[in-house]
Amino acid sequence: MEEYTADNWNLLQPSSWIENFSYVPSKKELSIEIKDSGEVYTYWDVSAETANAMADAESVGKFHNHNLKGEYHFTKEVRG
């Protein structure tokens, strides 16, 4: 499976609130950008398997809510 990098923002499935996401394997960081707000959440110590599962998920928003939110430490940044 393809691994996602900071230079390769991807969203393979439509989402009502996630604009896109990226994964940096060397840092084990998965970042998601929120539509409309420009907020970017970067989750730490995320495995490549988890990032690839998100890419393959039928709903990336549901995947985020069930597998990332509350499970990983994160930083929040506002762009724009």
Side-chain angles (χ1 to χ4, degrees):
M1 303 198 95
E2 181 180 0
E3 291 184 345
Y4 302 99
T5 67
D7 296 324
N8 185 15
W9 285 85
N10 287 278
L11 182 60
L12 303 181
Q13 302 296 329
S15 174
S16 60
W17 63 278
I18 294 177
E19 182 69 31
N20 48 43
F21 72 95
S22 72
Y23 183 67
V24 181
S26 61
K27 295 182 179 182
K28 299 178 91 174
E29 291 180 351
L30 188 147
S31 297
I32 63 168
E33 182 179 9
I34 308 303
K35 285 182 179 178
D36 301 325
S37 72
E39 296 171 332
V40 175
Y41 291 82
T42 300
Y43 293 89
W44 313 331
D45 202 28
V46 177
S47 69
E49 291 80 12
T50 299
N52 285 323
M54 184 168 176
D56 291 338
E58 186 174 319
S59 168
V60 293
K62 286 181 184 177
F63 184 91
H64 167 269
N65 289 338
H66 294 272
N67 298 283
L68 298 175
K69 188 176 180 181
E71 298 296 322
Y72 293 92
H73 293 285
F74 67 91
T75 57
K76 177 181 161 183
E77 159 189 5
V78 178
R79 295 183 179 170

